[in-house]
Amino acid sequence: LSLADEWESGPRSYLGLMVAGFPNMYLITGPQSPSVKSQMILASEHHVDIIAGIVQTMRAEGHRSVEAVAEAQEEWVGHANEVADATLYTKASTWYNGANVPGKPRVFMPYVGGVKAYREACEDVEHDGWRGFRFQH
């Protein structure tokens, strides 16, 4: 399965960091992260720090792979969509939701719940032993 096939109906990720079913494939400011709705350099640095923490955990615990858990991804995408639906972003014809590409699925991609809330969610995931990620030896 290719990522293009997986995302045929629109991109879905866990925290904008990984996609369920694609082990060891990391995203930097991917869909369902604040990405373009925040300062991109700081957002990129934040994701690199998180990924470095995941890799450090993998090394320390002897894991060979990590991937997003499908249920955690769906829960996060649902939350991101719920937050976006409370705004006018999802009603506008804009590149944020794919309106600039004929035939592209209309999906609002950035997380608009705020950078503070997003960072807190990421911290909670880490403090919970990387909840929502599956590590394998």
Side-chain angles (χ1 to χ4, degrees):
L1 182 66
S2 72
L3 188 60
D5 292 336
E6 179 69 21
W7 284 1
E8 185 177 28
S9 298
R12 304 174 79 74
S13 77
Y14 183 48
L15 300 169
L17 291 164
M18 294 194 94
V19 177
F22 292 83
N24 296 340
M25 185 184 84
Y26 301 97
L27 306 174
I28 305 287
T29 66
Q32 290 88 42
S33 77
S35 62
V36 297
K37 299 304 294 170
S38 67
Q39 208 287 338
M40 288 298 288
I41 294 171
L42 295 177
S44 297
E45 287 177 349
H46 180 237
H47 276 190
V48 168
D49 289 343
I50 292 170
I51 293 166
I54 291 171
V55 170
Q56 184 178 22
T57 297
M58 290 176 69
R59 285 183 176 166
E61 297 179 7
H63 299 295
R64 297 180 54 89
S65 71
V66 60
E67 71 177 287
V69 174
E71 295 80 11
Q73 176 175 290
E74 292 312 305
E75 185 178 313
W76 179 255
V77 170
H79 168 68
N81 288 340
E82 182 181 339
V83 170
D85 287 342
T87 73
L88 294 176
Y89 284 118
T90 58
K91 286 121 184 106
S93 290
T94 174
W95 68 271
Y96 285 129
N97 59 21
N100 62 321
V101 179
K104 185 175 181 177
R106 298 288 295 267
V107 177
F108 187 75
M109 293 179 269
Y111 178 73
V112 291
V115 172
K116 182 177 187 259
Y118 175 78
R119 285 181 175 242
E120 288 172 353
C122 291
E123 288 172 14
D124 289 347
V125 164
E126 180 179 0
H127 293 150
D128 253 358
W130 298 110
R131 173 179 31 87
F133 292 99
R134 180 180 303 115
F135 293 87
Q136 295 189 2
H137 291 283

